[in-house]
């Protein structure tokens, strides 16, 4: 029997201070306001499964009964943000006419890019909603910065829509681990697709080779139908069959879904990342959550051709992109980067 999950809808600011008392283990969503046992009110800054508002301060922020926050500063006299300046949790700055509050100490990261370190702030004292759509640790602005020349097929909304298929992805472990996993996935995806440019495999001469007739189900969509598609370049009839079965999609008979539906494409990439070991000894997801390092994700994706000195140039390409993305997200890349 599955556990009962209590869902709380966001309350309007005019709720006349009749917000319900916070309950441990209740699912809360960004914007929910609760009354804590100390008589004070807190607003959820991020979705959370009932974390204590006085302990999990990244998820909760003190607020007034009407949701307006604390006492506003005199005439909104906060100083302008300065790149490279050290800021500490609670510092408030003005940036491009808007205000931001430091949620974590940082050495002057851009408030509109490093959204884990900065939270939009209402100059009148209230907080903003920094959580990207779908609760993903990579914001749309960061995604756009990672893939400035991407194919329009690879939408951010398609990616966030696909997250529900594997809710543990980039959502397990510490905040650092979550961002490292997202960066690792997107770095490998970038390498596989030329920066999210290619939706389908470019060498059409390879297309007929991806049909393994030894499988009992054969290749019902045609011998040349199972070429590489999507962010991980899903290929071979048996992979389409396995991914389709896992996702509840008819990919064996209709592999074209992967190149026509952005959410389906992203789901196939997440399927491989979260469930397949490839030539490695663990899934890429387990490698990152278990802090085994980015190098193990390379091994699981293409280790038989690239690792152990097989193609150091390709490995370096993946590692460089991972380092770029972790820097953008404001986290260290960790160890064991190579395979």
């Amino acid at each position: 029997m599955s556990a009962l999950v209590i869902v709380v809808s966001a309350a309007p600011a005019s709720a006349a201070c009749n917000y319900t008392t916070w309950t441990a283990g209740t699912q809360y969503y960004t914007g929910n306001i609760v009354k804590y046992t100390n008589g004070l009110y807190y607003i959820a800054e991020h979705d959370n499964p009932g974390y204590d508002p006085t302990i999990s301060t990244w998820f909760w922020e003190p607020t007034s009964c009407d949701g307006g926050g604390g006492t506003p500063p005199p005439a909104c006299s906060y100083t302008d943000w300065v790149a490279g300046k050290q800021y500490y949790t609670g510092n408030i700055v003005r940036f491009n006419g808007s205000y931001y509050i430091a949620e974590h100490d940082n050495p002057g990261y851009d408030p509109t890019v490093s959204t884990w370190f900065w939270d939009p702030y209402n100059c009148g004292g209230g907080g903003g909603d920094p959580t990207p759509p779908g609760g993903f640790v990579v914001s749309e602005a960061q995604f756009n910065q990672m893939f400035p020349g991407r194919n329009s097929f690879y939408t951010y909304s398609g990616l966030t829509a696909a997250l529900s298929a594997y809710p543990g992805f980039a959502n397990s472990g510490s905040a650092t681990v979550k961002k490292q996993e997202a960066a690792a996935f997107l770095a490998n995806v970038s390498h596989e697709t030329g920066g999210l440019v290619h939706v389908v495999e470019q060498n059409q001469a390879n297309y007929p080779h991806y049909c393994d007739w030894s499988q009992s189900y054969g290749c019902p969509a045609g011998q040349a139908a199972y070429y590489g598609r999507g962010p991980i370049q899903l290929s071979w009839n048996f992979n389409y069959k396995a991914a389709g079965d896992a996702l509840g999609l008819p990919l064996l008979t209709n592999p074209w879904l992967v190149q026509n539906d952005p959410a389906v494409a992203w789901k196939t990439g997440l399927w491989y990342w979260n469930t397949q070991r490839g030539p490695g000894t663990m899934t890429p997801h387990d490698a990152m959550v278990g802090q085994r390092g980015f190098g193990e994700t390379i091994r699981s994706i293409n280790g038989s051709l690239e690792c152990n000195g097989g193609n150091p140039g390709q490995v370096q390409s993946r590692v460089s992109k991972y380092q770029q993305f972790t820097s953008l997200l404001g986290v260290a890349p960790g160890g064991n980067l190579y395979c």
Side-chain angles (χ1 to χ4, degrees):
M1 178 181 293
S2 59
L4 175 65
V5 176
I6 302 173
V7 178
V8 180
S9 59
S14 59
C17 299
N18 62 349
Y19 298 116
T20 58
T21 300
W22 168 83
T23 304
T26 296
Q27 179 66 46
Y28 293 101
Y29 297 96
T30 302
N32 289 157
I33 297 175
V34 297
K35 181 178 180 180
Y36 192 60
T37 54
N38 58 8
L40 300 179
Y41 292 86
Y42 295 82
I43 185 168
E45 289 296 302
H46 303 270
D47 298 353
N48 70 87
Y51 295 139
D52 188 315
T54 64
I55 297 175
S56 300
T57 55
W58 187 71
F59 292 94
W60 293 96
E61 181 176 287
T63 187
S64 63
C65 184
D66 64 0
T71 303
C76 299
S77 57
Y78 297 117
T79 58
D80 288 335
W81 168 83
V82 178
K85 178 180 178 180
Q86 179 66 45
Y87 291 100
Y88 299 94
T89 302
N91 289 159
I92 300 173
V93 297
R94 183 175 60 190
F95 182 79
N96 290 341
S98 298
Y99 292 85
Y100 298 83
I101 185 169
E103 290 295 302
H104 303 273
D105 298 352
N106 70 87
Y109 294 136
D110 185 320
T112 62
V113 175
S114 298
T115 54
W116 187 73
F117 292 94
W118 293 97
D119 192 348
Y121 186 81
N122 183 330
C123 191
D129 176 14
T131 307
F136 193 32
V137 293
V138 178
S139 70
E140 186 168 9
Q142 291 168 331
F143 180 77
N144 291 336
Q145 191 169 350
M146 290 173 173
F147 303 103
R150 76 177 190 278
N151 189 306
S152 60
F153 172 79
Y154 290 111
T155 61
Y156 181 77
S157 60
L159 173 56
T160 56
L163 296 177
S164 61
Y166 293 97
F169 167 73
N171 196 30
S172 303
S174 68
T176 294
V177 169
K178 292 174 184 177
K179 290 195 173 189
Q180 287 173 338
E181 183 180 8
F185 173 73
L186 293 172
N188 279 298
V189 159
S190 180
H191 180 84
E192 295 293 322
T193 61
L196 287 187
V197 171
H198 303 305
V199 178
V200 301
E201 185 174 350
Q202 298 301 288
N203 186 358
Q204 295 187 20
N206 284 340
Y207 286 13
H209 300 162
Y210 296 119
C211 176
D212 179 3
W213 286 107
S214 69
Q215 303 296 328
S216 61
Y217 43 78
C219 299
Q223 180 171 335
Y226 302 100
Y227 50 85
R229 297 178 176 89
I232 272 301
Q233 292 290 283
L234 185 71
S235 55
W236 290 97
N237 56 329
F238 48 81
N239 280 327
Y240 278 89
K241 174 70 163 57
D245 288 348
L247 298 169
L249 297 167
L251 300 185
L252 181 65
T253 55
N254 188 6
W256 297 278
L257 279 173
V258 182
Q259 69 188 71
N260 293 330
D261 187 321
V264 171
W266 283 113
K267 284 180 180 179
T268 64
L270 292 174
W271 166 79
Y272 190 94
W273 184 267
N274 287 277
T275 70
Q276 302 300 297
R277 296 183 300 175
T281 61
M282 65 191 75
T283 68
H285 170 72
D286 287 342
M288 296 308 297
V289 172
Q291 300 184 40
R292 298 292 295 275
F294 180 72
E296 289 301 319
T297 72
I298 303 174
R299 191 178 301 280
S300 297
I301 291 173
N302 206 27
S304 58
L305 295 179
E306 296 181 15
C307 295
N308 303 317
N311 197 327
Q314 294 293 303
V315 172
Q316 185 59 59
S317 172
R318 295 179 193 266
V319 171
S320 295
K321 188 60 66 174
Y322 173 63
Q323 291 172 320
Q324 175 191 342
F325 288 176
T326 51
S327 177
L328 178 62
L329 295 178
V331 294
N336 193 26
L337 298 182
Y338 297 85
C339 62

